[in-house]
């Protein structure tokens, strides 16, 4: 079993031409783990950061339960069961969505981490969960801003807000036409977001033109009474080969 898996992984270097070093260790290397370890890494599950943890506040939990009560978890190949929303899982690397991604993540730039998921301390930075409604072409994110995201004293940094807008609209666009790259992002900041507070980030698909997807976005208080930010985004769908070339 280990020998067969070693043969398979031995060809990984050709799949990632941008790497400067071989993606996999030599076949006869003592660093190749035993068969049982390989299988465990290949099929083990990653931590889903979109699930509740002890840092989530009351409002974060309330909104999570509201949308989660109307949703299913998005899984590849699974048909819509008629529910309005689908919860999107979130990992510390996008690569982990792929089949065998847990193992691939260990051999392709193993130290890389998704920017919004690179802090281990719960509640310190980006706490969020996304739900998508493909029929209505909408996406909603429940976002709780941690203390490490400070910009103006006591409030969230504008760059952190822009990061979340790009994350939400980009995830929305990817769900429609994966994969995509951000081509343009315009943001109007209206009122500051207090650190530790929970807000809603909602995106709507406005139109598509060939490979281009135009999406609008707004950031509001959870009751909708305050508008924090407005944004528009343009994404362009690309091929996987183009993504690998860099």
């Amino acid at each position: 079993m280990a020998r067969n898996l070693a043969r398979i992984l031995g060809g990984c270097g050709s799949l990632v031409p941008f790497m400067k070093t071989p993606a996999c260790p030599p076949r006869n290397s003592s660093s190749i783990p035993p068969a049982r370890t390989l299988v465990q890494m290949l099929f083990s599950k990653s931590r889903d950061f979109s699930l509740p943890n002890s840092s989530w506040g009351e409002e974060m939990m309330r909104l999570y339960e509201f949308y989660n009560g109307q949703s299913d978890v998005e899984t590849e190949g699974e048909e819509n069961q008629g529910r309005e929303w689908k919860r999107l899982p979130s990992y510390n690397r996008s690569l982990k969505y792929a089949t065998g991604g847990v193992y691939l993540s260990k051999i392709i730039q193993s130290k890389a981490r998704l920017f919004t998921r690179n802090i281990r301390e719960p509640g310190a930075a980006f706490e969020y969960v996304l739900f998508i409604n493909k029929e209505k072409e909408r996406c909603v994110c429940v976002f709780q801003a941690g203390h490490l995201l400070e910009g103006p004293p006591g409030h969230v940094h504008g760059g952190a807000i822009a990061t979340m807008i790009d994350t939400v609209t980009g995830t929305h666009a990817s769900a429609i036409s994966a994969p995509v790259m951000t081509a343009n992002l315009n943001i109007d900041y209206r009122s500051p977001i207090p650190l530790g507070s929970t807000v809603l980030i909602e995106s709507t698909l406005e139109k598509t033109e060939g490979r281009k997807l135009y999406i609008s976005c707004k950031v509001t208080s959870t009751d909708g009474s305050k508008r924090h930010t407005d944004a528009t985004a343009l994404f362009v769908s690309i091929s996987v080969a183009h993504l690998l070339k860099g």
Side-chain angles (χ1 to χ4, degrees):
M1 178 70 172
R3 185 177 300 173
N4 291 336
L5 281 172
R7 286 199 193 100
I8 294 171
L9 295 172
C12 289
S14 62
L15 297 177
V16 280
F18 53 87
M19 294 189 65
K20 296 181 180 179
T21 57
C24 310
R27 186 180 304 172
N28 60 353
S29 171
S30 60
S31 63
I32 296 178
R36 181 177 297 179
T37 304
L38 279 170
V39 172
Q40 288 174 342
M41 288 193 297
L42 193 60
F43 296 103
S44 62
K45 292 184 177 180
S46 298
R47 175 188 169 188
D48 184 351
F49 286 87
S50 69
L51 296 173
N53 64 57
S54 59
S55 75
W56 285 21
E58 183 177 328
E59 190 68 355
M60 181 84 172
M61 279 301 306
R62 182 185 72 80
L63 289 166
Y64 169 82
E65 291 172 355
F66 172 77
Y67 286 104
N68 200 53
Q70 306 176 54
S71 71
D72 295 311
V73 176
E74 176 77 15
T75 54
E76 186 177 354
E78 186 176 277
E79 293 183 2
N80 193 318
Q81 301 299 313
R83 299 205 177 190
E84 185 175 3
W85 297 92
K86 278 189 175 291
R87 180 178 66 82
L88 303 179
S90 182
Y91 307 109
N92 64 5
R93 288 196 75 184
S94 299
L95 180 61
K96 292 184 178 180
Y97 283 98
T99 302
V102 176
Y103 182 77
L104 291 174
S105 188
K106 294 177 183 295
I107 61 176
I108 301 176
Q109 294 288 338
S110 62
K111 293 184 179 181
R113 292 293 178 269
L114 187 65
F115 180 64
T116 55
R117 298 299 191 191
N118 67 352
I119 297 175
R120 293 185 179 182
E121 181 186 349
F126 299 92
E127 289 291 341
Y128 64 95
V129 55
L130 285 86
F131 298 88
I132 190 166
N133 185 324
K134 291 184 177 179
E135 290 186 0
K136 294 184 178 179
E137 300 179 330
R138 291 179 57 211
C139 185
V140 63
C141 171
V142 185
F143 170 51
Q144 178 181 290
H147 62 275
L148 295 183
L149 302 184
E150 186 177 53
H155 293 83
V156 183
H157 194 289
I161 299 170
T163 295
M164 281 308 305
I165 290 173
D166 190 38
T167 295
V168 175
T169 55
T171 300
H172 189 180
S174 295
I176 299 168
S177 177
V180 299
M181 296 287 281
T182 309
N184 184 271
L185 186 62
N186 292 308
I187 300 176
D188 292 323
Y189 296 99
R190 298 188 178 279
S191 62
I193 300 174
L195 284 176
S197 65
T198 299
V199 296
L200 285 176
I201 305 175
E202 301 176 73
S203 69
T204 302
L205 176 66
E206 297 295 339
K207 64 178 180 178
T208 60
E209 293 179 352
R211 295 168 49 230
K212 297 180 180 180
L213 296 90
Y214 295 84
I215 294 178
S216 62
C217 184
K218 63 179 180 179
V219 183
T220 67
S221 57
T222 56
D223 63 1
S225 63
K226 180 173 289 187
R227 193 81 156 232
H228 292 291
T229 315
D230 287 320
T232 57
L234 167 62
F235 293 90
V236 178
S237 61
I238 59 174
S239 67
V240 175
H242 179 81
L243 189 63
L244 290 176
K245 288 178 182 178

